[in-house]
Amino acid sequence: MTAGGANGSGGKILEVEDLAIGYGGEPLMEHLNFTVSKGEIFTILGPSGCGKTTLLRTLIGLLPPLAGKIRIAGEEFGPEMEREALDRLHRSFGVVFQEGALVSGLDLKANVALPLEEFTSLPRQIIDEIVRLKLDMVRLSEAIYQAPSDLSGGQLKRAGLARAIANDPLILFCDEPTSGLDPATATEIDRLLLVLRKLMGITIVSISHELASIENYADQCIMLDRHAGIIARGTLAELKQADDDRVQSFFRRHIDRRQEGLA
Amino acid sequence: MPEDALRVESEEGRLIISLEGPLDQRQVPALWPRLIEALGEARTEEVVIDCRGISGIHSAGLAMLRLADLECERRRLRCSQRNLPPQAAEYRRYAEERIKERREQQPPLEPGFVSHIGFWAREIIDGTVGAITFFGNFLLSVGSVLRRPGRIGVTEILYQMQKAGAEAMPIVLVLSALMGFIVGMQSTTSVANVAPGIFVADAVTMGTMKEMAPLLTAVILVGRSGAAFAAEIGTMQVKEEIAALEVMGFDPMHFLVLPRVIGLALAGPLLTMVADAAGIFGGTIQGYMVVHLLPLDYLIEVSHAMQARFLYEGFIKGFAFALTIGLNGCFHGFGTGTAAESVGVQTTTAVVTGIFFTVFLDAVLAGIFHLFHVG
Ligand SMILES: Nc1ncnc2c1ncn2[C@@H]1O[C@H](COP(=O)(O)OP(=O)(O)OP(=O)(O)O)[C@@H](O)[C@H]1O
Ligand SMILES: [Mg+2]
């Protein structure tokens, strides 16, 4: 099992130390510190545009960190790493991008089979069986021969998830895995994340806005703010107790219509 | 793989296959053929796959166990699996549940050969109808602009002329001068047998102005502008920008196609003239270097050989080619689907058909010019 190969330092699989993130040398957030334990479901919360996707892109090595350190399974991770070690780590990641990010020239089946064909020597039959299984897990088997351009936004996202888990990753990174899905499908995806964690020991780092999803699966959360960086951390229950206004307004998402004069 | 990862033994008329170690994507490729082999050699009616020794379950392992079941079914063996570790058993249960849901639905059909022919035929028909519709819409748009000329964006046309015309000048100059030089070289030998060397200038003038300059310019326009139009409009199509413009009430034909096509159609003849001059310049250099003709003598001969109709024929060709190339590029841009790769396909098609139409049109125009001036 991929997940069996690496033991993080003291059960920590991802360690972020004094990280600064941003584009083109311009920091968006600085002094980020957090750790993710092996087998944990770690959720990143925060308002739109605060830099959650940017953080995720930095964590998976698509964006260079402006300062600070990222350690994955005890190994320092960054652009200065050797190509081979970097590729090896990347192969143990599963990433679900916000928009699915499937290869548009291939149908769904080929997209999900891609990591299996490239990085394993599994026989064709077994790959086909795994692909069907993963598509069943995200409830997309009816679209197996369709091109990504013929799928809806929510279907694309689920297809992206199927591809990300095709090769049983060590860490799964998800950018809003359930946004844009109906409640039943979203609950199914939440359940799938729990299954992946429980049965395969996959560590999951997920961005989410869906309170219901976070309640379903999150072990640890951090809440980001555009200017202040991490403004709250802990379990969901701990976050709900925080007396920061910005944190409170996240959980108190309703407007008083009488007060606003809208009634 | 350790040798004992798969052990086969017979016991009380049953075949027992014991699996060991992690059933992950590194083990499975070696295990699978041995498992199939063991099943193939089974002389008993009952097979038991014992999973007591496996450590952890991987999707590859799960898939292998499921396929083993199917294989047994195919060989009419009674197959059971025992001692699956709890985690693996739970994963298997979860998977079976998902698979059962799928079984309850209508399975999707893999597209076959006949449906590919169908798609292909429909594409040709749709393409032809689309091209006619596109051209019709373009004419309507031109008509509406002619009735109210104020509506056309002059700045946008000038911008397109600059991009398609002025910025193409260096490459047109260099290639045409080289082409003039080459035509000169080719003519030197053939002229030398029948006429004084100075007649090379006549050959270069006629060859360049009537054929080489318009064709070469057109090929450059196809590669630069035709491809760019297809890619620009195609990318906008993929990102749904055109759909957004449409629902805001913009006419994409007016907004995107007219400025590009008009800009290119105006730049075409101008570039052709530049190519004429450069070609003759290249010929002059060749005359001086190879046939030792003085440039002044050469240019005087050029002026004798030149006829007004060479110039306007080139002009007409430049205009017609550029118009076709622009329309063709835009048309293929709009033909882009919703997938990113389709931009590449459409751009390639725009270049290939652009060259085809240019040469085809050249033949048609040659016929028409011949009818009007015999000679
Ligand atoms: N490629 C880029 N170059 C420069 N700035 C960028 C780039 N992409 C995003 N940004 C900026 O970085 C900030 C954070 O963007 P990011 O995509 O990380 O937000 P987010 O928290 O994921 O938002 P959402 O919840 O809407 O997805 C935004 O203000 C955005 O303007
Ligand atoms: Mg985002």
Short mmCIF file of all heavy atoms in Angstrom, two decimals, chain A residues 1 116 120-127 129-130 167-168, chain B residues 1-2 5-6 19-36 54 56-67:
data_model
loop_
_atom_site.label_atom_id
_atom_site.label_comp_id
_atom_site.label_asym_id
_atom_site.label_seq_id
_atom_site.Cartn_x
_atom_site.Cartn_y
_atom_site.Cartn_z
N MET A 1 0.84 -1.20 0.00
CA MET A 1 0.00 0.00 0.00
C MET A 1 0.87 1.25 0.00
O MET A 1 1.86 1.31 0.72
CB MET A 1 -0.90 -0.02 1.24
CG MET A 1 -1.89 1.11 1.26
SD MET A 1 -2.83 1.15 2.78
CE MET A 1 -3.76 -0.33 2.69
N LEU A 116 -2.92 5.07 -13.19
CA LEU A 116 -2.66 3.64 -13.05
C LEU A 116 -1.81 3.13 -14.20
O LEU A 116 -0.92 2.31 -14.02
CB LEU A 116 -3.98 2.87 -13.02
CG LEU A 116 -4.87 3.17 -11.82
CD1 LEU A 116 -6.27 2.65 -12.05
CD2 LEU A 116 -4.27 2.55 -10.57
N THR A 120 1.94 2.39 -12.64
CA THR A 120 1.96 1.02 -12.13
C THR A 120 2.10 0.08 -13.32
O THR A 120 1.97 0.51 -14.47
CB THR A 120 0.64 0.65 -11.41
OG1 THR A 120 -0.39 0.54 -12.39
CG2 THR A 120 0.24 1.68 -10.38
N SER A 121 2.39 -1.17 -13.04
CA SER A 121 2.46 -2.15 -14.13
C SER A 121 1.28 -3.11 -14.04
O SER A 121 1.38 -4.26 -14.41
CB SER A 121 3.78 -2.89 -14.08
OG SER A 121 4.03 -3.32 -12.76
N LEU A 122 0.18 -2.62 -13.50
CA LEU A 122 -1.00 -3.47 -13.35
C LEU A 122 -1.52 -3.93 -14.71
O LEU A 122 -1.47 -3.16 -15.67
CB LEU A 122 -2.11 -2.70 -12.63
CG LEU A 122 -1.87 -2.41 -11.15
CD1 LEU A 122 -2.91 -1.43 -10.64
CD2 LEU A 122 -1.91 -3.69 -10.35
N PRO A 123 -2.02 -5.16 -14.78
CA PRO A 123 -2.59 -5.61 -16.06
C PRO A 123 -3.88 -4.86 -16.38
O PRO A 123 -4.58 -4.37 -15.49
CB PRO A 123 -2.87 -7.09 -15.83
CG PRO A 123 -2.77 -7.33 -14.38
CD PRO A 123 -1.99 -6.22 -13.77
N ARG A 124 -4.14 -4.78 -17.67
CA ARG A 124 -5.29 -4.06 -18.22
C ARG A 124 -6.61 -4.36 -17.48
O ARG A 124 -7.36 -3.48 -17.09
CB ARG A 124 -5.39 -4.47 -19.69
CG ARG A 124 -6.44 -3.80 -20.54
CD ARG A 124 -6.07 -2.42 -20.93
NE ARG A 124 -6.93 -1.50 -20.20
CZ ARG A 124 -6.72 -0.21 -20.08
NH1 ARG A 124 -5.65 0.34 -20.59
NH2 ARG A 124 -7.54 0.56 -19.42
N GLN A 125 -6.86 -5.66 -17.28
CA GLN A 125 -8.11 -6.10 -16.66
C GLN A 125 -8.29 -5.49 -15.28
O GLN A 125 -9.37 -5.04 -14.92
CB GLN A 125 -8.04 -7.62 -16.46
CG GLN A 125 -8.78 -8.43 -17.46
CD GLN A 125 -8.56 -9.90 -17.14
OE1 GLN A 125 -7.42 -10.33 -16.96
NE2 GLN A 125 -9.63 -10.65 -17.07
N ILE A 126 -7.20 -5.51 -14.52
CA ILE A 126 -7.27 -5.00 -13.15
C ILE A 126 -7.47 -3.49 -13.18
O ILE A 126 -8.26 -2.93 -12.41
CB ILE A 126 -5.97 -5.36 -12.39
CG1 ILE A 126 -5.83 -6.87 -12.37
CG2 ILE A 126 -5.96 -4.72 -11.01
CD1 ILE A 126 -5.76 -7.52 -11.05
N ILE A 127 -6.78 -2.81 -14.11
CA ILE A 127 -6.96 -1.36 -14.22
C ILE A 127 -8.42 -1.05 -14.53
O ILE A 127 -9.04 -0.19 -13.89
CB ILE A 127 -6.03 -0.77 -15.30
CG1 ILE A 127 -4.57 -0.87 -14.85
CG2 ILE A 127 -6.40 0.67 -15.61
CD1 ILE A 127 -3.59 -0.21 -15.77
N GLU A 129 -11.01 -2.77 -13.87
CA GLU A 129 -11.84 -3.05 -12.70
C GLU A 129 -11.71 -1.92 -11.67
O GLU A 129 -12.70 -1.47 -11.10
CB GLU A 129 -11.40 -4.40 -12.10
CG GLU A 129 -12.24 -4.89 -10.95
CD GLU A 129 -13.67 -5.24 -11.35
OE1 GLU A 129 -13.90 -5.53 -12.54
OE2 GLU A 129 -14.55 -5.21 -10.48
N ILE A 130 -10.48 -1.43 -11.47
CA ILE A 130 -10.28 -0.34 -10.51
C ILE A 130 -11.01 0.92 -10.98
O ILE A 130 -11.68 1.61 -10.21
CB ILE A 130 -8.78 -0.02 -10.31
CG1 ILE A 130 -8.04 -1.25 -9.76
CG2 ILE A 130 -8.58 1.16 -9.36
CD1 ILE A 130 -6.56 -1.06 -9.58
N ASN A 167 -5.22 5.74 -7.72
CA ASN A 167 -4.05 4.96 -7.32
C ASN A 167 -3.84 4.97 -5.81
O ASN A 167 -2.71 4.98 -5.34
CB ASN A 167 -2.81 5.48 -8.07
CG ASN A 167 -1.68 4.49 -8.06
OD1 ASN A 167 -1.89 3.32 -7.73
ND2 ASN A 167 -0.50 4.94 -8.40
N ASP A 168 -4.90 4.98 -5.04
CA ASP A 168 -4.85 4.98 -3.57
C ASP A 168 -3.74 5.89 -3.03
O ASP A 168 -2.70 5.40 -2.58
CB ASP A 168 -4.64 3.55 -3.04
CG ASP A 168 -5.79 2.65 -3.40
OD1 ASP A 168 -6.61 3.04 -4.24
OD2 ASP A 168 -5.87 1.55 -2.83
N MET B 1 8.97 -9.92 -5.61
CA MET B 1 7.88 -10.54 -4.87
C MET B 1 8.38 -11.80 -4.16
O MET B 1 9.03 -12.63 -4.79
CB MET B 1 6.77 -10.94 -5.83
CG MET B 1 5.56 -11.50 -5.14
SD MET B 1 4.30 -11.93 -6.33
CE MET B 1 5.06 -13.31 -7.14
N PRO B 2 8.10 -11.95 -2.87
CA PRO B 2 8.54 -13.15 -2.18
C PRO B 2 7.87 -14.38 -2.80
O PRO B 2 6.72 -14.31 -3.23
CB PRO B 2 8.10 -12.94 -0.73
CG PRO B 2 7.21 -11.75 -0.72
CD PRO B 2 7.37 -11.03 -2.01
N ALA B 5 4.34 -15.62 -1.70
CA ALA B 5 3.22 -14.69 -1.69
C ALA B 5 1.94 -15.39 -2.15
O ALA B 5 0.85 -14.94 -1.84
CB ALA B 5 3.51 -13.49 -2.58
N LEU B 6 2.12 -16.48 -2.91
CA LEU B 6 0.94 -17.24 -3.33
C LEU B 6 1.28 -18.73 -3.21
O LEU B 6 2.25 -19.20 -3.79
CB LEU B 6 0.60 -16.88 -4.78
CG LEU B 6 -0.66 -17.51 -5.36
CD1 LEU B 6 -1.32 -16.55 -6.31
CD2 LEU B 6 -0.38 -18.82 -6.05
N LEU B 19 -2.87 -16.29 -0.01
CA LEU B 19 -2.17 -15.07 -0.42
C LEU B 19 -1.46 -14.47 0.79
O LEU B 19 -1.96 -14.54 1.91
CB LEU B 19 -3.15 -14.05 -1.00
CG LEU B 19 -3.91 -14.50 -2.24
CD1 LEU B 19 -4.96 -13.49 -2.63
CD2 LEU B 19 -2.94 -14.73 -3.39
N GLU B 20 -0.30 -13.87 0.55
CA GLU B 20 0.51 -13.29 1.63
C GLU B 20 0.91 -11.87 1.25
O GLU B 20 0.99 -11.53 0.07
CB GLU B 20 1.81 -14.08 1.78
CG GLU B 20 1.71 -15.47 2.32
CD GLU B 20 1.76 -15.52 3.83
OE1 GLU B 20 2.37 -14.62 4.44
OE2 GLU B 20 1.18 -16.46 4.40
N GLY B 21 1.21 -11.10 2.26
CA GLY B 21 1.82 -9.79 2.03
C GLY B 21 0.80 -8.75 1.62
O GLY B 21 -0.40 -9.01 1.56
N PRO B 22 1.27 -7.54 1.32
CA PRO B 22 0.34 -6.48 0.93
C PRO B 22 -0.16 -6.68 -0.50
O PRO B 22 0.64 -6.93 -1.40
CB PRO B 22 1.19 -5.21 1.04
CG PRO B 22 2.60 -5.66 0.86
CD PRO B 22 2.68 -7.08 1.31
N LEU B 23 -1.44 -6.60 -0.70
CA LEU B 23 -1.99 -6.72 -2.06
C LEU B 23 -2.02 -5.33 -2.68
O LEU B 23 -3.06 -4.74 -2.86
CB LEU B 23 -3.40 -7.29 -2.02
CG LEU B 23 -3.55 -8.74 -1.59
CD1 LEU B 23 -4.97 -9.21 -1.83
CD2 LEU B 23 -2.58 -9.63 -2.34
N ASP B 24 -0.83 -4.79 -2.98
CA ASP B 24 -0.80 -3.42 -3.51
C ASP B 24 -0.39 -3.42 -4.98
O ASP B 24 -0.20 -4.47 -5.58
CB ASP B 24 0.12 -2.53 -2.67
CG ASP B 24 1.56 -2.99 -2.74
OD1 ASP B 24 1.85 -3.88 -3.57
OD2 ASP B 24 2.38 -2.47 -1.98
N GLN B 25 -0.26 -2.21 -5.53
CA GLN B 25 -0.05 -2.15 -6.98
C GLN B 25 1.33 -2.65 -7.39
O GLN B 25 1.58 -2.87 -8.56
CB GLN B 25 -0.35 -0.74 -7.53
CG GLN B 25 0.72 0.32 -7.41
CD GLN B 25 0.63 1.07 -6.11
OE1 GLN B 25 0.89 0.51 -5.06
NE2 GLN B 25 0.28 2.34 -6.15
N ARG B 26 2.22 -2.89 -6.41
CA ARG B 26 3.52 -3.47 -6.77
C ARG B 26 3.45 -5.00 -6.80
O ARG B 26 4.14 -5.64 -7.57
CB ARG B 26 4.59 -3.00 -5.77
CG ARG B 26 5.21 -1.67 -6.18
CD ARG B 26 6.36 -1.31 -5.26
NE ARG B 26 5.88 -1.07 -3.89
CZ ARG B 26 5.44 0.10 -3.46
NH1 ARG B 26 5.45 1.13 -4.25
NH2 ARG B 26 5.02 0.24 -2.22
N GLN B 27 2.60 -5.58 -5.92
CA GLN B 27 2.50 -7.04 -5.84
C GLN B 27 1.56 -7.61 -6.89
O GLN B 27 1.82 -8.66 -7.46
CB GLN B 27 1.95 -7.44 -4.46
CG GLN B 27 2.85 -7.06 -3.33
CD GLN B 27 3.88 -8.14 -3.08
OE1 GLN B 27 4.15 -8.96 -3.94
NE2 GLN B 27 4.47 -8.13 -1.91
N VAL B 28 0.46 -6.89 -7.10
CA VAL B 28 -0.61 -7.46 -7.92
C VAL B 28 -0.17 -7.83 -9.34
O VAL B 28 -0.53 -8.90 -9.83
CB VAL B 28 -1.83 -6.52 -7.92
CG1 VAL B 28 -2.83 -6.90 -8.98
CG2 VAL B 28 -2.48 -6.54 -6.55
N PRO B 29 0.65 -6.99 -10.02
CA PRO B 29 1.02 -7.36 -11.39
C PRO B 29 1.69 -8.74 -11.46
O PRO B 29 1.49 -9.47 -12.43
CB PRO B 29 2.01 -6.27 -11.80
CG PRO B 29 1.65 -5.10 -10.96
CD PRO B 29 1.17 -5.67 -9.65
N ALA B 30 2.46 -9.12 -10.42
CA ALA B 30 3.10 -10.43 -10.45
C ALA B 30 2.15 -11.53 -9.95
O ALA B 30 2.19 -12.66 -10.41
CB ALA B 30 4.35 -10.40 -9.59
N LEU B 31 1.28 -11.15 -8.99
CA LEU B 31 0.39 -12.15 -8.40
C LEU B 31 -0.71 -12.60 -9.36
O LEU B 31 -1.06 -13.77 -9.42
CB LEU B 31 -0.29 -11.56 -7.16
CG LEU B 31 0.40 -11.79 -5.83
CD1 LEU B 31 -0.37 -11.08 -4.72
CD2 LEU B 31 0.45 -13.29 -5.53
N TRP B 32 -1.23 -11.65 -10.11
CA TRP B 32 -2.42 -11.90 -10.93
C TRP B 32 -2.23 -13.05 -11.92
O TRP B 32 -3.03 -14.00 -11.94
CB TRP B 32 -2.83 -10.59 -11.59
CG TRP B 32 -3.93 -10.70 -12.61
CD1 TRP B 32 -3.86 -10.36 -13.92
CD2 TRP B 32 -5.28 -11.15 -12.38
NE1 TRP B 32 -5.06 -10.58 -14.54
CE2 TRP B 32 -5.95 -11.06 -13.61
CE3 TRP B 32 -5.97 -11.63 -11.29
CZ2 TRP B 32 -7.27 -11.42 -13.78
CZ3 TRP B 32 -7.29 -12.00 -11.44
CH2 TRP B 32 -7.93 -11.89 -12.68
N PRO B 33 -1.14 -13.03 -12.72
CA PRO B 33 -0.99 -14.16 -13.66
C PRO B 33 -0.85 -15.50 -12.93
O PRO B 33 -1.36 -16.52 -13.41
CB PRO B 33 0.29 -13.83 -14.43
CG PRO B 33 0.83 -12.58 -13.88
CD PRO B 33 -0.11 -12.01 -12.89
N ARG B 34 -0.21 -15.50 -11.75
CA ARG B 34 -0.05 -16.76 -11.02
C ARG B 34 -1.39 -17.25 -10.48
O ARG B 34 -1.66 -18.45 -10.45
CB ARG B 34 0.95 -16.57 -9.87
CG ARG B 34 2.37 -16.38 -10.39
CD ARG B 34 3.36 -16.19 -9.28
NE ARG B 34 3.34 -17.27 -8.31
CZ ARG B 34 3.95 -17.21 -7.13
NH1 ARG B 34 4.63 -16.12 -6.81
NH2 ARG B 34 3.90 -18.22 -6.30
N LEU B 35 -2.21 -16.29 -10.08
CA LEU B 35 -3.53 -16.65 -9.56
C LEU B 35 -4.38 -17.27 -10.67
O LEU B 35 -5.02 -18.31 -10.50
CB LEU B 35 -4.20 -15.39 -9.00
CG LEU B 35 -5.54 -15.54 -8.30
CD1 LEU B 35 -5.43 -16.50 -7.13
CD2 LEU B 35 -6.03 -14.19 -7.80
N ILE B 36 -4.34 -16.62 -11.84
CA ILE B 36 -5.09 -17.13 -12.99
C ILE B 36 -4.61 -18.52 -13.36
O ILE B 36 -5.40 -19.44 -13.64
CB ILE B 36 -4.90 -16.17 -14.20
CG1 ILE B 36 -5.64 -14.86 -13.97
CG2 ILE B 36 -5.37 -16.81 -15.50
CD1 ILE B 36 -7.12 -15.00 -14.05
N ILE B 54 -2.66 -11.60 4.27
CA ILE B 54 -2.46 -10.31 3.60
C ILE B 54 -2.45 -9.18 4.60
O ILE B 54 -3.11 -9.22 5.63
CB ILE B 54 -3.50 -10.04 2.48
CG1 ILE B 54 -4.88 -9.76 3.07
CG2 ILE B 54 -3.55 -11.18 1.50
CD1 ILE B 54 -5.85 -9.28 2.01
N GLY B 56 -3.18 -5.34 4.88
CA GLY B 56 -3.73 -4.13 4.27
C GLY B 56 -4.32 -4.45 2.91
O GLY B 56 -3.96 -5.42 2.25
N ILE B 57 -5.26 -3.63 2.50
CA ILE B 57 -5.88 -3.86 1.20
C ILE B 57 -5.73 -2.60 0.37
O ILE B 57 -5.80 -1.49 0.86
CB ILE B 57 -7.36 -4.27 1.35
CG1 ILE B 57 -7.99 -4.64 0.00
CG2 ILE B 57 -8.16 -3.16 1.99
CD1 ILE B 57 -7.90 -6.07 -0.31
N HIS B 58 -5.49 -2.82 -0.89
CA HIS B 58 -5.30 -1.74 -1.85
C HIS B 58 -6.36 -1.96 -2.91
O HIS B 58 -6.84 -3.08 -3.08
CB HIS B 58 -3.88 -1.91 -2.41
CG HIS B 58 -3.45 -0.81 -3.32
ND1 HIS B 58 -3.81 -0.76 -4.63
CD2 HIS B 58 -2.68 0.28 -3.10
CE1 HIS B 58 -3.28 0.31 -5.18
NE2 HIS B 58 -2.59 0.96 -4.28
N SER B 59 -6.71 -0.90 -3.63
CA SER B 59 -7.74 -1.07 -4.65
C SER B 59 -7.34 -2.13 -5.67
O SER B 59 -8.19 -2.85 -6.18
CB SER B 59 -7.99 0.25 -5.37
OG SER B 59 -8.33 1.23 -4.43
N ALA B 60 -6.05 -2.20 -5.96
CA ALA B 60 -5.59 -3.19 -6.93
C ALA B 60 -5.88 -4.60 -6.40
O ALA B 60 -6.31 -5.48 -7.15
CB ALA B 60 -4.11 -3.01 -7.21
N GLY B 61 -5.64 -4.81 -5.10
CA GLY B 61 -5.90 -6.11 -4.50
C GLY B 61 -7.37 -6.44 -4.53
O GLY B 61 -7.78 -7.56 -4.86
N LEU B 62 -8.18 -5.43 -4.21
CA LEU B 62 -9.63 -5.64 -4.21
C LEU B 62 -10.10 -6.02 -5.61
O LEU B 62 -10.88 -6.96 -5.80
CB LEU B 62 -10.32 -4.36 -3.75
CG LEU B 62 -11.82 -4.45 -3.63
CD1 LEU B 62 -12.19 -5.30 -2.45
CD2 LEU B 62 -12.42 -3.07 -3.50
N ALA B 63 -9.58 -5.28 -6.61
CA ALA B 63 -9.97 -5.56 -7.99
C ALA B 63 -9.55 -6.98 -8.36
O ALA B 63 -10.30 -7.71 -9.02
CB ALA B 63 -9.32 -4.55 -8.93
N MET B 64 -8.37 -7.40 -7.89
CA MET B 64 -7.89 -8.74 -8.22
C MET B 64 -8.82 -9.80 -7.62
O MET B 64 -9.18 -10.77 -8.30
CB MET B 64 -6.48 -8.93 -7.70
CG MET B 64 -5.88 -10.25 -8.10
SD MET B 64 -4.17 -10.41 -7.61
CE MET B 64 -4.36 -10.76 -5.88
N LEU B 65 -9.21 -9.61 -6.36
CA LEU B 65 -10.09 -10.59 -5.72
C LEU B 65 -11.43 -10.68 -6.44
O LEU B 65 -11.99 -11.75 -6.64
CB LEU B 65 -10.30 -10.23 -4.25
CG LEU B 65 -9.05 -10.39 -3.37
CD1 LEU B 65 -9.35 -9.99 -1.94
CD2 LEU B 65 -8.55 -11.83 -3.42
N ARG B 66 -11.94 -9.51 -6.85
CA ARG B 66 -13.22 -9.51 -7.57
C ARG B 66 -13.11 -10.23 -8.92
O ARG B 66 -13.97 -11.00 -9.30
CB ARG B 66 -13.70 -8.08 -7.81
CG ARG B 66 -14.39 -7.47 -6.61
CD ARG B 66 -14.99 -6.12 -6.98
NE ARG B 66 -15.72 -6.19 -8.25
CZ ARG B 66 -16.93 -6.72 -8.40
NH1 ARG B 66 -17.56 -7.20 -7.37
NH2 ARG B 66 -17.50 -6.73 -9.58
N LEU B 67 -12.00 -9.94 -9.61
CA LEU B 67 -11.82 -10.59 -10.91
C LEU B 67 -11.61 -12.09 -10.75
O LEU B 67 -12.02 -12.88 -11.60
CB LEU B 67 -10.63 -9.96 -11.65
CG LEU B 67 -10.91 -8.57 -12.22
CD1 LEU B 67 -9.66 -7.98 -12.83
CD2 LEU B 67 -12.01 -8.63 -13.29
#
